[in-house]
């Protein structure tokens, strides 16, 4: 029997968030990065994810040399804590130069800013000992169709990816698609788009993807199918598990919170494809509810991992033989009920 996968877990500092949303201010007092790192360790997670400015705050005010020096100091803190850096992601959606999008901005100076900032993020990844750069593109202007030329935007995207690939021969780019929010549309909404654009770059082997459950659901897709698709190509290099109640705003709920069966099928897809065998991490891109009190601030992370582990057990104890017999009979009603009763457990 194949050895069972032991999963490694991570989250980012932004996943211990303070509760602000577009309609209300924070409900919890912000904590320092060191406090968050301590909590990650106490919870027994293995790695942390970083936006470039989580790693080097106020990054735009610093020179490349300063950025490297600060990243080195952070690397030492991570080593002392026994925590790995899973990835670095340039935050391309806060700075005034990214108001009209990042790589696809209509202003050449702004496109240059986005690329330069991404190259610094690659440098940080290098210092932190990871070769994974995650690209969530966030916004491409206001999506007034006449404001941009779609074809030219795709060409700009490929040029930007090429610059990152050329900057460092070891860096791997994991595109994190999302179909909407903060905008109503996005140029790379699904894994299919991410993997297709990878083919146009100078080194397709180093361009893969990251699936976030909620983002797939927002695209009207089943995240389990996205996992199978990406893994068929050997391209699923990271994973943001969370949950989402239908086609609404991005909710980043705890894993399994809205739809346990969809969560179960994601875990089954990970198991059948051997996710983690090449060192990939299971990351939870989840947020505490706005109503969460400070004393319960980490529950969503611990709960997501707990649900994940329970679902791994459920996936491993699902009676495949019996399921296949129902498939052979085309008795999908029985198969459906079998899955439900398996998740419900013993009465
Ligand atoms: C937002 C994204 C973000 C990325 C990293 O929806 O999920 O958190 O994971 O930039
Ligand atoms: Mg994410």
């Amino acid at each position: 029997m194949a050895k069972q996968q032991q999963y490694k877990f991570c989250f980012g500092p932004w996943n211990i968030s303070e509760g602000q949303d577009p309609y209300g201010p924070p409900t919890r007092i912000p904590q320092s990065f060191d406090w968050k790192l301590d909590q990650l360790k106490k919870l027994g997670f293995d790695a942390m994810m970083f936006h470039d400015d989580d790693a080097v705050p106020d990054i735009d005010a610093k020179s490349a040399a300063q950025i490297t020096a600060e990243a080195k100091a952070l690397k030492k803190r991570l080593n002392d804590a026994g925590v790995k850096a899973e990835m670095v992601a340039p935050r391309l959606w806060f700075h005034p130069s990214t108001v009209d999008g990042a790589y696809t901005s209509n202003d050449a100076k702004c496109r240059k800013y986005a690329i330069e900032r991404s190259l610094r993020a690659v440098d940080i990844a290098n210092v932190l000992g990871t070769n994974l750069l995650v690209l969530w593109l966030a916004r491409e202007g206001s999506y007034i169709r006449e404001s941009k030329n779609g074809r030219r935007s795709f060409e700009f995207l490929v040029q930007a990816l090429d610059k990152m690939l050329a900057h460092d021969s070891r860096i791997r780019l994991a595109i994190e698609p999302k179909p909407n929010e903060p905008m109503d549309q996005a140029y790379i909404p699904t894994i299919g788009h991410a993997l297709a654009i990878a083919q146009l770059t100078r080194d397709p082997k180093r361009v893969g993807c990251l699936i976030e459950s909620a983002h797939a659901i927002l695209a009207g897709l089943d995240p389990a199918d996205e996992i199978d698709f990406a893994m068929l190509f050997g391209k699923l290099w990271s994973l943001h598990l969370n949950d989402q109640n239908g086609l609404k705003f991005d909710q980043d709920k705890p894993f399994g919170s809205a739809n346990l069966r969809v969560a179960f099928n994601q875990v089954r897809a990970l198991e059948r494809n051997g996710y983690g065998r090449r060192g990939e991490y299971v990351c939870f891109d989840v947020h505490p509810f706005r109503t969460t009190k400070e004393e319960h601030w980490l529950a969503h992370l611990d709960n997501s991992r707990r649900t994940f582990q329970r679902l791994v057990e459920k996936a491993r104890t699902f009676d495949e033989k019996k399921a296949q017999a129902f498939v052979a009979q085309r008795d999908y009603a029985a198969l459906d009920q079998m899955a439900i009763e398996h998740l419900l457990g013993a009465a």
Side-chain angles (χ1 to χ4, degrees), residues 14-15 49 51 87 89-90 93 134-136 176 178 181 210 212 215 240 250 252 285 287:
W14 66 91
N15 297 120
M49 316 189 264
H51 286 118
M87 62 82 163
W93 53 95
V134 167
L135 297 171
W136 173 56
E176 179 179 354
K178 183 176 180 182
E181 208 204 12
L210 180 163
E212 174 160 327
H215 297 180
H240 286 180
D250 188 3
D252 295 328
D285 202 352
H287 284 270

Side-chain angles (χ1 to χ4, degrees), residues 32-274:
S32 66
F33 172 78
D34 285 338
W35 184 86
K36 292 181 179 181
L37 181 61
D38 260 10
Q39 306 310 307
L40 180 136
K41 227 186 128 52
K42 277 192 202 139
L43 283 172
F45 277 64
D46 307 279
M48 196 174 239
M49 316 189 264
F50 289 94
H51 286 118
D52 51 3
D53 56 358
D54 295 321
V56 179
D58 206 13
I59 190 168
D60 287 309
K62 294 176 181 162
S63 68
Q66 271 172 307
I67 292 171
T68 305
E70 284 192 32
K72 279 188 181 155
L74 171 62
K75 173 65 175 154
K76 186 171 176 325
R77 265 143 82 203
L78 293 176
N79 284 351
D80 292 347
V83 169
K84 298 263 187 240
E86 192 250 353
M87 62 82 163
V88 176
R91 196 192 296 275
L92 296 170
W93 53 95
F94 265 37
H95 192 271
S97 296
T98 59
V99 68
D100 191 28
Y103 309 130
T104 68
S105 173
N106 279 321
D107 180 335
K109 277 201 302 301
C110 294
R111 292 198 297 278
K112 190 160 179 276
Y113 164 83
I115 291 173
E116 286 296 323
R117 181 146 172 179
S118 307
L119 301 187
R120 295 295 78 77
V122 173
D123 297 342
I124 296 172
N126 254 314
V127 176
L128 296 188
T130 172
N131 66 355
L132 197 61
L133 193 83
V134 167
L135 297 171
W136 173 56
L137 301 176
R139 79 177 85 241
E140 299 300 350
S142 297
Y143 269 87
I144 299 304
R145 275 287 161 277
E146 298 79 5
S147 74
K148 287 191 182 179
N149 169 333
R151 182 180 168 122
R152 199 172 74 129
S153 296
F154 291 121
E155 287 167 359
F156 283 152
L157 282 169
V158 173
Q159 284 166 20
L161 298 173
D162 277 349
K163 290 255 166 54
M164 290 173 241
L165 293 167
H167 181 68
D168 179 330
S169 61
R170 287 182 51 252
I171 201 73
R172 294 181 304 147
L173 311 177
I175 300 175
E176 179 179 354
K178 183 176 180 182
N180 62 291
E181 208 204 12
M183 309 316 302
D184 55 344
Q185 304 285 350
Y187 285 130
I188 305 194
T190 69
I191 294 302
H193 290 81
L195 298 190
I197 209 94
Q199 295 312 308
L200 296 180
T201 65
R202 58 186 285 148
D203 193 359
K205 283 193 309 305
R206 290 193 287 133
V207 185
C209 66
L210 180 163
I211 292 171
E212 174 160 327
S213 323
H215 297 180
I217 294 167
L218 285 167
L221 300 172
D222 187 321
D225 291 344
E226 288 281 84
I227 291 171
D228 276 323
F229 183 77
M231 293 203 73
L232 178 65
F233 287 83
K235 291 285 196 176
L236 187 59
W237 298 341
S238 186
L239 179 68
H240 286 180
L241 294 181
N242 57 13
D243 213 353
Q244 170 71 27
N245 183 9
L247 306 183
K248 298 174 181 138
F249 59 94
D250 188 3
Q251 298 167 330
D252 295 328
K253 287 187 168 183
F255 183 52
S257 163
N259 193 330
L260 205 51
R261 182 133 171 221
V262 169
F264 172 60
N265 281 308
Q266 287 170 75
V267 174
R268 269 167 58 85
L270 295 172
E271 285 269 299
R272 73 174 150 255
N273 286 289

